[in-house]
Structure formats: C-alpha cells, structure tokens
Amino acid sequence: MSTDKKEQKEFNYAQRVHGNYVEGFTLYILFLIITGLSFPVYAAVAGAIYIVGRQVYSIGYMIHPQKRMYGAIIFDLALLALLGGAIYSAYLLSPLA
C-alpha cells in the first residue's frame, strides 16, 4: 500500500472517530449534568469511565475499525449508568419524590 493511500485511510479513520464522538457528546453532557445534580461523585466516576472508553475506542479504531468494540462497550456502559443516574436524579428533584 502506498503511503498516500495509507495516509488517506488514517485520515478517514480519524475523521470517523471525531464524528462519532461529536454525535454522542450532547447526550453525555446532558446525562452528566443531570446526574451530577444529585450524585456528583457517581457522575464524576461514570464520566471518567466514559472518557477512558472513548480513548480505547479511538485507539482501537485507528488500528482497525473492528478493534473499536472494546471501547464502545466501555463507554456505552458508562453512558447507560449516566442515563440511569439522570432518570433517578430527575425523579428525586421532581415534586413526585
């Protein structure tokens, strides 16, 4: 493979990693803020795990797109934890609680 072709492939991978990150960032921030209102330490830990998962995802994707799954599992579980925390936090802050 020529270096030009390899550089194009690497750039394409980097662009996809960035696009995937930007797509999910809004939900991450929303869930992090809402969870942090009632459970700041829990939100910080889940947020840190999310960031680590994103880094593992990025490194894996840059090696080969099929190697991104470990990172995806990590950050998806962290996002799910933040979603649960946000739902429970919203319940606690509502007049229903």
Side-chain angles (χ1 to χ4, degrees), residues 62-85:
M62 292 301 292
I63 294 169
H64 193 277
Q66 292 177 343
K67 296 188 182 224
R68 66 181 187 227
M69 296 312 294
Y70 297 115
I73 290 169
I74 294 169
F75 79 75
D76 281 342
L77 289 174
L79 196 60
L80 190 61
L82 285 171
L83 172 62

Side-chain angles (χ1 to χ4, degrees), residues 18-31 50 54 75 79:
H18 175 72
N20 290 342
Y21 181 73
V22 170
E23 287 173 3
F25 190 69
T26 307
L27 282 178
Y28 164 69
I29 290 295
L30 179 69
F31 295 160
Y50 179 87
R54 275 293 178 182
F75 79 75
L79 196 60

Side-chain angles (χ1 to χ4, degrees), residues 4 20 22 25 29 33 37-38 40 42 44 49 51-52 57 59-60 71-72 75 78 86-87 96-97:
D4 190 39
N20 290 342
V22 170
F25 190 69
I29 290 295
I33 290 171
L37 292 173
S38 297
Y42 176 81
I49 292 170
I51 296 297
V52 168
Y57 176 89
I59 292 167
F75 79 75
I87 290 170
L96 299 175

